[in-house]
Amino acid sequence: MNALDELTESFSHLPGIGKKSASRIANSLLKADSFFMERFAEQIRTLQDKIRPCSICGTWTEEDPCPICSDLTRDRTVICVVEQPQDAATIESSHEFHGLFHVLGGVISPLEGMTPDKLRINSLVERVKSENIKEVILATNPTVEGDTTALYIQRILADTEVTVTRLASGLPVGGDLEYADRLTLARSFRGRSQF
């Protein structure tokens, strides 16, 4: 195996990148100028040294606490609970949510060894009890594991005075009913609103 094959193999281990995409990336790097390659290599080499989880919410940050937790203009009475740091970044990019975040670090999945004690659920409960939180928005993915995790958190927070809500899910804009699965259709009917 030569250096190109080894690099292609490494890229193919990244999520969402198959063998063909990995090969295209590796081949394009061969054509890149040396300045780009040096900068790119340095960014990869120092990534884990520079980026770490926020001690409050768990999102990726270079400064602790993160800019979201430090922003006093945000609604500090609402916490949006997400599975992974990239989920918080996705929601933040919509510019629709102006509260705080809490990253669980995964979802409950006993088959994969992910039990509630391995997630950041206890720190969420502590935040709800110690801060003036009025609403917790559960924004876990609409999967069996995501729904199980959301239900578990809802039950844990049942004895508090906080309102627990769940993101709506259903048919995407531009989606065809013909291609929607039964679960998506069921959620769309349950989450329907007045027109």
Side-chain angles (χ1 to χ4, degrees):
M1 185 179 280
N2 65 29
L4 183 59
D5 294 335
E6 289 175 0
L7 184 60
T8 299
E9 179 67 25
S10 293
F11 278 126
S12 70
H13 289 288
L14 296 172
I17 299 180
K19 289 278 188 193
K20 285 186 178 183
S21 293
S23 177
R24 280 194 289 269
I25 294 169
N27 279 290
S28 73
L29 290 176
L30 284 174
K31 300 173 190 170
D33 65 72
S34 61
F35 174 76
F36 171 80
M37 289 297 291
E38 287 175 22
R39 189 172 51 115
F40 185 58
E42 180 66 12
Q43 289 168 340
I44 291 173
R45 189 184 67 71
T46 61
L47 182 65
Q48 292 181 331
D49 295 332
K50 291 181 178 179
I51 305 294
R52 61 194 167 281
C54 173
S55 60
I56 298 171
C57 70
T59 59
W60 297 125
T61 184
E62 283 191 63
E63 51 200 62
D64 194 19
C66 72
I68 293 173
C69 290
S70 300
D71 185 351
L72 298 178
T73 65
R74 296 186 77 92
D75 184 349
R76 306 188 80 72
T77 65
V78 181
I79 293 178
C80 181
V81 178
V82 295
E83 295 177 17
Q84 300 294 343
Q86 58 266 33
D87 299 329
T90 300
I91 291 171
E92 190 65 10
S93 70
S94 74
H95 304 290
E96 290 296 319
F97 179 69
H98 305 287
L100 303 173
F101 288 98
H102 188 86
V103 178
L104 295 173
V107 288
I108 297 171
S109 180
L111 293 175
E112 295 179 19
M114 288 300 287
T115 53
D117 60 302
K118 293 183 179 174
L119 301 175
R120 297 182 66 246
I121 294 174
N122 289 337
S123 60
L124 171 65
V125 173
E126 288 173 23
R127 286 181 75 186
V128 167
K129 290 180 178 178
S130 66
E131 300 173 23
N132 186 30
I133 305 301
K134 293 187 168 92
E135 180 182 6
V136 171
I137 303 168
L138 300 174
T140 54
N141 289 317
T143 61
V144 171
E145 295 84 2
D147 288 345
T148 300
T149 305
L151 184 59
Y152 181 85
I153 293 170
Q154 179 191 15
R155 288 185 179 159
I156 293 280
L157 296 176
D159 63 341
T160 66
E161 294 185 17
V162 69
T163 300
V164 180
T165 59
R166 181 96 161 103
L167 281 187
S169 60
L171 296 171
V173 174
D176 290 324
L177 286 175
E178 177 182 0
Y179 301 111
D181 60 274
R182 288 186 296 173
L183 181 59
T184 300
L185 281 173
R187 287 171 188 250
S188 297
F189 274 100
R190 284 196 305 267
R192 69 188 185 275
S193 58
Q194 190 170 356
F195 188 59

